[in-house]
Amino acid sequence: GRDGFFIGLPGDQLRDGAFAFDGGEWLLGDGDTTLSFAAWPNVMLTLEANGDGLVLAPPANATWTLSPLVTGTGGIVKRGAGTVVLAQGEACTGTNHCESGVLAFAGTAVTGCAVAGAGTFADAEMRRVVLSLSVGDGLVVDEIPTFADCTLGRVTVDLGRTAENPLPLVLPQPIVVAHYTGSTAPRAGDFRLTGTGHGDTMGTFEVSGGEIRLTGYAPGKPGLCIIFR
């Protein structure tokens, strides 16, 4: 691994800009690494994740810390068993997909995007985000994320079903949509529900024992959910 690297340009040639990605992978070494852009007066450099996003795959036991803000119409694609820390958070409008390992946000706010994957999202204030899921046969979610020490609010749970493949009107058992860890249960008082295949619906959720479960739903105005703890 390596401790870091430096990209140098004369100060009078540097302008505001971004390193842009669309499905590309940035390799930052085999060990703990910090990506940091030196600060020049009135100059801001960011990472831009568009289209298929910025792919980061740290190996096990490695932590990659990204100091620049991550923006763009895509999102982070987190692979590998290691950890990625977004020191200044992100302002993406696409999907942050954590397939494995940990994607941490250093206590920043995450809004206006979607999250998905079977990995762990950590240390974030997630509000007005979409939890994008795929409910397969047997009403089991294909990839269930974990939220570690996250504050959740106004999260829209999208189950990914359409009118051609709707959920049964009566669920035979609760559907686990996410796991959580931390000292307190998520304060998710206004979970929303969509993607049942039945149009507008109201969902009923349970939050206990490290799980967030959908226990039922009914047609109605979207956005109203009941949370049991």
Side-chain angles (χ1 to χ4, degrees), residues 81-169:
T83 297
V84 169
V85 178
L86 304 181
Q88 294 193 52
E90 58 83 62
C92 298
T93 57
T95 300
N96 290 311
H97 195 136
C98 185
E99 298 179 6
S100 56
V102 178
L103 180 58
F105 297 87
T108 61
V110 178
T111 63
C113 66
V115 295
T120 296
F121 296 92
D123 195 16
E125 293 188 12
M126 292 195 172
R127 301 186 185 279
R128 298 188 299 279
V129 301
V130 175
L131 174 54
S132 183
L133 304 174
S134 176
V135 179
D137 296 337
L139 301 183
V140 176
V141 174
D142 293 337
E143 293 183 314
I144 302 176
T146 297
F147 297 100
D149 296 310
C150 290
T151 299
L152 303 178
R154 294 182 63 82
V155 175
T156 298
V157 178
D158 185 349
L159 300 181
R161 291 296 185 96
T162 66
E164 290 72 29
N165 185 30
L167 291 180
L169 288 174

Side-chain angles (χ1 to χ4, degrees), residues 1-3 5 26-33 57-59 62-64:
R2 57 188 173 184
D3 294 329
F5 60 90
W26 199 333
L27 304 175
L28 296 177
D30 297 328
D32 293 348
T33 304
T63 297
W64 293 357

